[in-house]
């Protein structure tokens, strides 16, 4: 049985292939087209899935789309009627697109499958549709290591649902409760993303990273005016302060008056007020997530909780939920946003519709999120030679030693190894690595390699067996979706200079023995690395520990601001040439920047629009 799951036409288009209920491969379209958050029909991702699994298009039994477009059109129409005539402007602009691209999306899907995959296959009887939050819930529960669990999904909006609570047991799940549009924790957070001058559906993680620089002095204002949080964990927004139902922006003039001014113009200076607003919406979001968690625990008695939806990428809230002890265990879908809907749609069809049996894994079924393309050594060498690259080829032990030495000497390394990750996080397959002990690495990586805002934190990757020595984390975090505190004995005591600075100046104060991955509040977004899931990356961490005593590395995605994470050896080489990276490792190929004769056509980041 071969089931192809697809998400597309909104943002983060992706494809996933199940073979006999197992996730064989999955990838986002952006990694092939090099257009960040690409929403187009994922023809490249589908072709990868079919090619990697040696599946002919005619062998695909079902194609399942991750939501129901007609229900989305119904929401648009009913919202207009509810807010008429105030919503006419946005309605009149949206309606032609919805009629053309969304209302008749089944026809569009069939057209795209015929045009881009195989016109000789009769796709119509094979095409079916899931529902948005069912897809999210299925992506959270069915790959999890739990036979039974509660399920919480949170995002902006699907068809109507913005938050759902479900129960999963064996090969079945049911949605028990829903909060519906326009009341949405995801849209609330996105409204503040917009107000702070960042891009909606892209810059929410910037708000999360900015929050620790401020104080949540506006949290009361938010709760007293913008949102009513109920004791059972549910909530309702005061739509007077928002414009997404009736206008073309996220926030209204009343919102701007409440917070003291117009939305920040992108790329302008971040003021103290902006930092405090970011801290405030993050604090309110954490309160909502914890309230939902407590209510779900009381209502269901479940000891395990699965999470998905874009809000489940808020790893700070996840970390606080984990530490609260409300549940024994959490499991979060690593591709929690819309890309993961392709996985969930396929799994929902496999179990919910077809009723196939489910075998629960002791870890999970996402294979470490290493579900994308990989390149054999001979192919890597041919591709790099075609680019004009100069490199040495080493066997693995020597390669790990050379790479660890470079890192210990303060050099920044581009690292491409094995199958590409699925989801927004680089987990040691398409990563930029550095020494976490360096007090200057965080700023240098941001400004000279990633070309992004200086306040953005970097994550640590640590050997799974060493995590408790370095971080206050009682569980594994293979997908970099939990924030925990740096261990107390790794902190620098008596550093009172931190209390004398404010705002973004806080980043200059060294807080721990691994300052490059310690955020200004003493926390880190942790990835635990196991020998089983990623043996080569684990081996590099082990070699670095042998040399330095530190089993931790800075791990950030292999890209620049506005660029999707690299996919191919060619992508890696282009990024290497056009940035401040010192060393590139692709497979067993080791490249020194100083030895390259090919000159970059220009700064790599200038090829991409700012995110």
């Amino acid at each position: 049985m071969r089931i192809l799951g697809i998400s597309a036409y909104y943002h983060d288009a992706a494809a996933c292939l199940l073979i006999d209920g197992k996730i064989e491969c999955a990838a986002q379209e952006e990694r092939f087209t090099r257009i960040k958050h690409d929403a187009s029909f994922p023809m490249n991702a589908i072709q990868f899935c079919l090619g990697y699994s040696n599946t002919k298009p005619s062998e695909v039994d079902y194609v399942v789309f991750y939501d129901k477009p007609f229900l989305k059109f119904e929401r648009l129409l009913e919202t207009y009627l509810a807010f008429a005539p105030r919503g006419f402007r946005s309605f009149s602009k949206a309606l032609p697109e919805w009629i053309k691209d969304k209302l008749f999306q089944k026809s569009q899907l069939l057209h795209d499958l015929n045009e881009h995959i195989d016109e000789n296959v009769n796709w119509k009887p094979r095409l079916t549709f899931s529902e948005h939050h069912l897809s999210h819930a299925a992506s959270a529960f069915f790959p999890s290591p739990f036979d039974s669990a509660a399920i919480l999904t949170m995002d902006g909006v699907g068809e109507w649902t913005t938050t759902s609570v479900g129960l999963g047991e064996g090969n079945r799940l049911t949605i028990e409760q829903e909060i519906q549009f326009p009341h949405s924790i995801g849209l609330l957070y996105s409204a503040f993303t917009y107000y702070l001058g960042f891009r909606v559906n892209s810059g929410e993680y910037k708000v999360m990273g900015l929050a620790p620089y401020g104080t949540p002095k506006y949290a009361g204002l938010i709760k007293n005016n913008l949102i009513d949080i109920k004791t059972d964990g549910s909530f309702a927004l005061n739509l007077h302060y928002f414009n997404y139902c009736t206008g073309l922006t996220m926030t209204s003039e009343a919102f701007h008056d409440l917070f003291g001014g117009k939305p920040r113009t992108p790329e302008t200076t971040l003021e103290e007020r902006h930092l405090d607003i970011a801290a405030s919406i993050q604090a309110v979001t954490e309160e909502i997530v914890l309230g939902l968690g407590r209510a779900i625990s009381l209502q269901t008695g479940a000891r395990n909780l699965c999470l998905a939806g874009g809000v489940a990428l808020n790893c700070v809230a996840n970390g606080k939920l984990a530490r609260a002890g409300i549940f024994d265990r959490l499991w979060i879908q690593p591709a929690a946003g819309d890309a993961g809907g392709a996985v969930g749609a396929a799994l929902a069809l496999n179990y919910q519709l077809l009723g196939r049996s489910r075998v629960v894994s002791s870890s999970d079924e996402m294979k470490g999120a290493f579900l994308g393309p990989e390149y054999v050594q001979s192919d890597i060498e041919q591709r790099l030679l075609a680019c004009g690259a100069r490199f040495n080829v080493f066997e693995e032990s020597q390669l790990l030693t050379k790479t660890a030495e470079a890192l210990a000497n303060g050099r920044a390394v581009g690292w491409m190894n094995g199958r590409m990750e699925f989801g927004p996080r680089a987990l040691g397959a398409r990563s930029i690595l550095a020494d976490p002990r360096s007090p200057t690495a965080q700023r240098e990586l941001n400004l000279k390699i990633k070309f992004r805002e200086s306040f953005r934190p970097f994550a640590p990757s640590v050997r799974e067996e060493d995590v408790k020595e370095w971080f206050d984390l009682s569980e594994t975090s293979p997908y970099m979706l939990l924030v925990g505190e740096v261990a107390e004995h790794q902190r620098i005591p008596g550093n009172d200079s931190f209390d004398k600075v404010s705002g973004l100046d806080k980043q200059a104060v060294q807080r721990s023995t691994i300052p490059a991955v310690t955020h200004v509040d003493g926390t880190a977004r942790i990835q635990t690395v196991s020998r089983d899931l990623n043996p080569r990356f684990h081996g590099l961490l082990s070699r670095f520990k042998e040399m330095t005593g530190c089993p931790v590395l800075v791990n950030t995605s292999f890209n620049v601001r506005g660029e999707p994470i690299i996919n191919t050896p060619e992508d890696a080489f282009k990024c290497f040439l056009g940035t401040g990276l010192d060393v590139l490792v692709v497979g067993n190929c080791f490249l020194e920047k100083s030895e390259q004769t090919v000159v970059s056509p220009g700064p790599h980041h200038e090829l991409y629009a700012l995110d």
Side-chain angles (χ1 to χ4, degrees):
M1 177 65 66
R2 295 173 187 252
I3 301 172
L4 179 66
I6 297 174
S7 64
Y9 306 133
Y10 182 45
H11 61 86
D12 296 305
C16 166
L17 185 69
L18 294 190
I19 298 181
D20 295 330
K22 298 295 184 182
I23 303 170
E24 182 71 15
C25 39
Q28 293 136 277
E29 186 68 5
E30 66 166 21
R31 307 296 172 84
F32 303 92
T33 63
R34 313 308 299 153
I35 301 170
K36 195 161 188 178
H37 303 302
D38 194 344
S40 59
F41 178 78
M43 61 178 183
N44 295 287
I46 293 171
Q47 288 166 353
F48 152 68
C49 288
L50 297 179
Y52 184 86
S53 62
N54 295 315
T55 298
K56 298 175 183 177
S58 60
E59 295 174 328
V60 175
D61 297 286
Y62 292 95
V63 178
V64 54
F65 192 67
Y66 80 126
D67 69 7
K68 291 188 174 177
F70 190 83
L71 290 179
K72 284 193 173 182
F73 180 79
E74 176 190 77
R75 169 169 55 83
L76 181 76
L77 185 60
E78 288 196 21
T79 300
Y80 165 65
L81 293 173
F83 288 91
R86 285 192 296 133
F88 181 75
R89 185 177 176 219
S90 61
F91 178 79
S92 63
K93 286 183 176 292
L95 186 62
E97 179 186 347
W98 273 92
I99 290 177
K100 175 179 175 289
D101 295 331
K102 304 295 192 294
L103 184 57
F104 302 112
Q105 210 161 72
K106 183 174 182 178
S107 298
Q108 185 64 48
L109 278 164
L110 291 170
H111 173 271
D112 286 338
L113 286 164
N114 284 322
E115 181 177 0
H116 299 300
I117 307 305
D118 194 325
E119 64 181 353
N120 297 314
V121 175
N122 184 6
W123 294 105
K124 189 172 183 179
R126 307 174 195 219
L127 180 60
T128 186
F129 294 81
S130 180
E131 290 188 1
H132 190 94
H133 273 258
L134 175 63
S135 297
H136 277 322
S139 79
F141 175 64
F142 289 130
S144 79
F146 309 138
D147 183 63
S148 64
I151 309 159
L152 174 62
T153 72
M154 304 169 287
D155 66 2
V157 60
E159 294 91 1
W160 277 102
T161 304
T162 67
T163 302
S164 75
V165 176
L167 285 173
E169 186 162 355
N171 68 341
R172 309 299 296 172
L173 70 81
T174 56
I175 303 298
E176 303 289 328
Q177 295 175 294
E178 294 179 339
I179 298 173
Q180 295 194 335
F181 181 86
H183 306 290
S184 166
I185 182 176
L187 290 175
L188 173 68
Y189 206 91
S190 291
F192 280 89
T193 301
Y194 165 83
Y195 185 73
L196 291 171
F198 303 124
R199 185 173 298 176
V200 172
N201 290 328
S202 175
E204 284 78 5
Y205 57 92
K206 297 184 186 183
V207 178
M208 182 178 67
L210 192 64
Y213 291 96
T215 55
K217 60 177 61 175
Y218 297 98
L221 198 66
I222 294 170
K223 291 190 289 183
N224 291 334
N225 293 276
L226 271 60
I227 186 168
D228 180 16
I229 306 172
K230 308 292 186 181
T231 55
D232 65 353
S234 63
F235 52 86
L237 300 187
N238 183 346
L239 299 177
H240 176 64
Y241 293 96
F242 302 95
N243 208 29
Y244 54 78
C245 288
T246 60
L248 300 175
T249 60
M250 293 297 296
T251 54
S252 70
E253 288 300 321
F255 187 109
H256 308 160
D257 292 341
L258 188 66
F259 291 99
K262 296 286 187 182
R264 170 180 168 262
T265 302
E267 308 308 315
T268 58
T269 301
L270 284 161
E271 303 170 1
E272 192 82 25
R273 178 175 67 93
H274 298 130
L275 312 185
D276 294 338
I277 290 172
S280 301
I281 186 55
Q282 178 63 32
V284 172
T285 299
E286 292 164 12
E287 181 178 337
I288 294 168
V289 171
L290 285 168
L292 285 167
R294 291 189 183 97
I296 292 167
S297 176
L298 287 171
Q299 291 164 9
T300 68
R303 300 311 308 151
N304 303 314
L305 179 67
C306 300
L307 297 168
V311 178
L313 294 172
N314 193 309
C315 50
V316 179
N318 295 343
K320 292 193 174 180
L321 182 60
R323 289 193 298 277
I326 300 168
F327 297 93
D328 295 336
R329 296 178 68 191
L330 299 183
W331 191 84
I332 306 156
Q333 165 58 239
D338 276 13
V343 173
L347 290 168
L349 189 146
N350 184 70
Y351 294 115
Q352 297 286 94
L353 183 63
L354 301 180
R356 296 173 67 87
S357 61
R358 173 174 176 247
V359 177
V360 179
S361 169
S362 59
S363 53
D364 64 51
E365 291 295 324
M366 286 298 293
K367 301 180 181 178
F370 302 118
L371 297 168
E374 62 180 333
Y375 300 86
V376 299
Q377 181 63 26
S378 59
D379 190 23
I380 291 170
E381 293 177 25
Q382 289 177 7
R383 287 167 176 263
L384 290 176
L385 287 170
C387 292
R390 303 186 68 175
F391 55 86
N392 291 303
V393 179
F394 298 112
E395 53 81 27
E396 181 166 302
S397 180
Q398 190 176 8
L399 181 83
L400 296 181
T401 297
K402 292 276 292 182
T403 307
E405 286 175 347
L407 290 163
N409 289 326
R411 308 178 78 190
V413 174
W415 174 264
M416 177 176 166
N417 166 65
R419 296 185 70 178
M420 182 178 69
E421 302 94 337
F422 181 59
R425 307 295 185 215
L427 301 170
R430 305 289 189 275
S431 293
I432 291 173
L433 308 175
D435 186 344
R437 303 169 301 159
S438 168
T440 60
Q442 190 255 0
R443 182 173 179 81
E444 290 175 355
L445 285 172
N446 269 330
L447 300 182
K448 297 180 181 180
I449 295 174
K450 300 284 285 187
F451 299 98
R452 68 184 197 180
E453 301 93 340
S454 64
F455 66 82
R456 303 266 293 276
F458 289 106
S461 293
V462 59
R463 296 198 320 170
E464 187 175 277
E465 57 267 40
D466 293 316
V467 63
K468 292 182 180 179
E469 176 66 19
W470 292 83
F471 303 98
D472 183 14
L473 189 71
S474 59
E475 55 200 290
T476 61
S477 178
Y479 300 120
M480 207 182 283
L481 285 171
L482 294 175
V483 163
E485 293 186 349
V486 175
E488 186 65 32
H489 61 275
Q490 301 294 350
R491 304 277 192 94
I492 296 176
N495 196 341
D496 59 358
S497 60
F498 187 79
D499 298 326
K500 298 176 183 178
V501 297
S502 62
L504 297 182
D505 292 337
K506 292 178 180 179
Q507 63 188 300
V509 180
Q510 189 168 335
R511 306 293 311 281
S512 78
T513 60
I514 43 174
V517 295
T518 304
H519 207 10
V520 294
D521 58 355
T523 66
R525 188 184 69 204
I526 305 155
Q527 181 203 6
T528 55
V529 180
S530 77
R531 184 180 284 103
D532 293 337
L533 283 178
N534 196 339
R536 177 168 284 195
F537 191 38
H538 186 277
L540 178 62
L541 289 163
S542 298
R543 195 64 51 90
F544 188 73
K545 181 181 181 181
E546 290 170 10
M547 293 180 182
T548 66
C550 177
V552 182
L553 286 172
V554 178
N555 178 7
T556 186
S557 55
F558 197 159
N559 60 348
V560 297
R561 183 182 176 189
E563 178 189 17
I565 296 173
I566 63 113
N567 175 5
T568 67
E570 293 91 338
D571 296 337
F573 187 64
K574 289 175 186 175
C575 191
F576 171 60
L577 286 183
T579 65
L581 285 170
D582 302 300
V583 170
L584 174 63
V585 180
V586 184
N588 283 27
C589 297
F590 188 91
L591 294 77
E592 294 268 9
K593 178 70 71 62
S594 59
E595 295 177 359
Q596 304 309 310
T597 56
V598 177
V599 178
S600 173
H604 189 63
H605 66 283
E606 293 183 358
L607 299 174
Y608 301 94
L610 296 179
D611 61 2

